Amino acid sequence: SITGEVVYQLVRLIRINLAEDSDDAVSWLQKKEDNPLVIRCALHVCAEMLKEVDEDRCAIDESTAKYLHDVLLSDLFVEDEYRPELYPAFTFARKWGIVSAEEFDKLIQNSYERRRAFYKTKWTDIDGFGQEEIVQATDRWIYRALSLIGSDVLGGKSRELYERLSHGGEHDFCLELFGETETMTGPNSPITKDEMIKLGADSLLNHLESWHPSRDDSFRLVSHEGQGRVLATAIAESPSFFEDHIGRVLRLRPIYQRAILEGWEKSLRKGGEIPLNDAMAMLKAASMKDESEFLTTEGDDFDDDPSYMNLRRSAARFAGELLGSPFVSFFGNQSDQLLDALLGLVPSS
């Protein structure tokens, strides 16, 4: 993709420039401190450089090390979009002493308080979200961060916090570096695909309508997102599973409606038979949603859909797949319904 090529070339140039003239390269990077893409690429380059060093020496020079130190101890720690690059960089920066244990402990304490304040502001006046839920969400967020950075490089106070939150159990998160990829043991579903199918349409709808993640679920990375992914797989195998239940389907959380559309899309690509009347109803409903509308979510930022944007985009992709599929024959006014839905989904396509 164009985006992937841009990122590749940016990473390559940052690494070359740091190696040839680190002072000049760092000066340029500092001028781009408001550009998230540049910062993420720079963090990735620094982590890779530190990862490749010999056991007895650090491969980055003083200028680069100071730049990395300042970026790591900035406010970026509480910004989720930087996690895939920030955590590996922290792991190696702590290993080589670029960030001291005391500095790290202070950052963790400040970040914990800022994240708790963020959740408090986000969930103010929302029923069911009190002080206990705010503390649970903050604990889960900081525990995931400490787990991914690695318990062996934590400072004294941050290690105590990690051990308190882990309850003496195994790590719930693991980070593996493969290029720019962050791999975690989640998101997960409270029930399996086979259990979903075994429940039948009515009982599964009851479950999807009533299920809410508990504190224990949050530590096991069980979430609406995880359940939605399993639901998409189930629908891909049984596309007519919810046939004649469209009214209840349209009342589900947007993340589950999105999962059904994605399941239909997967099935359609393999020649599966889609319940077209239900599909048209879902596409019409999605086309009428406002992407800017804020929705009440449960869990962390990636555990639930905070708006209708993802639903509308999934609907646009599915509508495009329907339009070009050799396996679909439209009857009556279905083709007109599809075109009307596509027009309403144009901004999302």
Side-chain angles (χ1 to χ4, degrees):
S1 67
I2 295 175
T3 302
E5 181 64 21
V6 170
V7 171
Y8 170 79
Q9 294 297 342
L10 186 55
V11 165
R12 178 173 171 271
L13 288 173
I14 289 174
R15 178 146 193 172
I16 291 174
N17 290 338
L18 283 173
E20 292 182 350
D21 188 340
S22 61
D23 289 338
D24 187 58
V26 166
S27 177
W28 181 83
L29 289 172
Q30 289 171 336
K31 294 175 182 178
K32 302 296 182 181
E33 62 182 5
D34 294 330
N35 189 312
L37 179 59
V38 172
I39 294 175
R40 292 182 65 178
C41 289
L43 286 170
H44 173 74
V45 169
C46 290
E48 287 297 297
M49 292 172 71
L50 290 171
K51 177 183 170 186
E52 296 168 3
V53 302
D54 297 331
E55 289 299 319
D56 59 345
R57 69 180 183 87
C58 181
I60 65 176
D61 60 22
E62 185 176 345
S63 180
T64 306
K66 185 179 185 305
Y67 169 77
L68 179 60
H69 170 275
D70 293 345
V71 171
L72 290 177
L73 294 180
S74 68
D75 294 337
L76 299 184
F77 194 84
V78 296
E79 303 293 338
D80 285 330
E81 71 173 298
Y82 295 94
R83 285 186 307 188
E85 295 79 24
L86 195 68
Y87 294 165
F90 250 117
T91 301
F92 294 112
R94 281 288 299 118
K95 174 183 178 181
W96 292 105
I98 295 171
V99 174
S100 70
E102 292 75 17
E103 289 174 321
F104 185 73
D105 282 344
K106 184 177 179 180
L107 175 71
I108 293 301
Q109 180 60 41
N110 290 340
S111 297
Y112 184 93
E113 296 300 329
R114 290 186 61 203
R115 192 69 177 197
R116 183 166 61 181
F118 166 76
Y119 285 135
K120 185 176 181 179
T121 301
K122 178 181 178 182
W123 292 335
T124 296
D125 299 329
I126 297 178
D127 291 339
F129 289 96
Q131 184 62 30
E132 182 179 356
E133 287 73 26
I134 291 171
V135 170
Q136 288 174 1
T138 311
D139 284 352
R140 181 192 172 194
W141 176 81
I142 202 70
Y143 177 63
R144 173 163 53 187
L146 296 177
S147 297
L148 293 173
I149 292 170
S151 61
D152 55 329
V153 300
L154 302 182
K157 293 182 179 179
S158 54
R159 182 185 294 275
E160 290 177 7
L161 176 61
Y162 170 80
E163 291 176 349
R164 175 176 68 81
L165 295 175
S166 67
H167 304 293
E170 297 295 328
H171 294 192
D172 291 314
F173 310 90
C174 69
L175 184 67
E176 295 183 40
L177 295 175
F178 295 107
E180 300 171 47
T181 302
E182 178 187 30
T183 303
M184 299 183 191
T185 58
N188 301 312
S189 172
I191 59 176
T192 67
K193 177 197 68 178
D194 292 339
E195 289 172 334
M196 286 185 178
I197 294 174
K198 187 177 180 180
L199 280 173
D202 285 312
S203 294
L204 180 55
L205 285 167
N206 290 340
H207 168 75
L208 295 174
E209 290 166 348
S210 62
W211 183 81
H212 303 281
S214 65
R215 175 181 170 85
D216 185 56
D217 288 329
S218 68
F219 277 103
R220 293 185 296 115
L221 285 182
V222 176
S223 64
H224 291 295
E225 173 66 27
Q227 184 156 246
R229 294 187 185 187
V230 175
L231 176 61
T233 302
I235 296 301
E237 292 186 8
S238 304
S240 297
F241 188 82
F242 287 128
E243 193 167 16
D244 300 325
H245 293 77
I246 190 62
R248 293 186 65 186
V249 167
L250 292 175
R251 293 194 294 271
L252 292 175
R253 304 180 81 86
I255 200 165
Y256 295 141
Q257 295 185 47
R258 169 164 65 89
I260 293 169
L261 289 169
E262 290 170 357
W264 280 342
E265 183 180 354
K266 292 177 184 177
S267 178
L268 189 60
R269 288 176 179 173
K270 296 180 180 179
E273 187 175 345
I274 307 300
L276 286 178
N277 286 333
D278 290 351
M280 296 305 158
M282 288 197 71
L283 289 174
K284 178 181 178 181
S287 71
M288 299 173 69
K289 299 297 185 183
D290 181 0
E291 287 190 13
S292 64
E293 182 179 346
F294 176 80
L295 304 175
T296 301
T297 59
E298 294 182 335
D300 279 359
D301 297 337
F302 301 107
D303 291 344
D304 202 358
D305 280 356
S307 72
Y308 290 111
M309 181 179 68
N310 289 333
L311 171 62
R312 284 174 54 84
R313 290 182 177 178
S314 292
R317 288 194 299 270
F318 174 59
E321 195 73 26
L322 273 175
L323 198 61
S325 175
F327 306 111
V328 175
S329 297
F330 297 108
F331 297 96
N333 65 343
Q334 287 177 341
S335 59
D336 291 337
Q337 291 176 338
L338 178 59
L339 290 173
D340 287 342
L342 273 171
L343 288 174
L345 293 166
V346 165
S348 301
S349 57

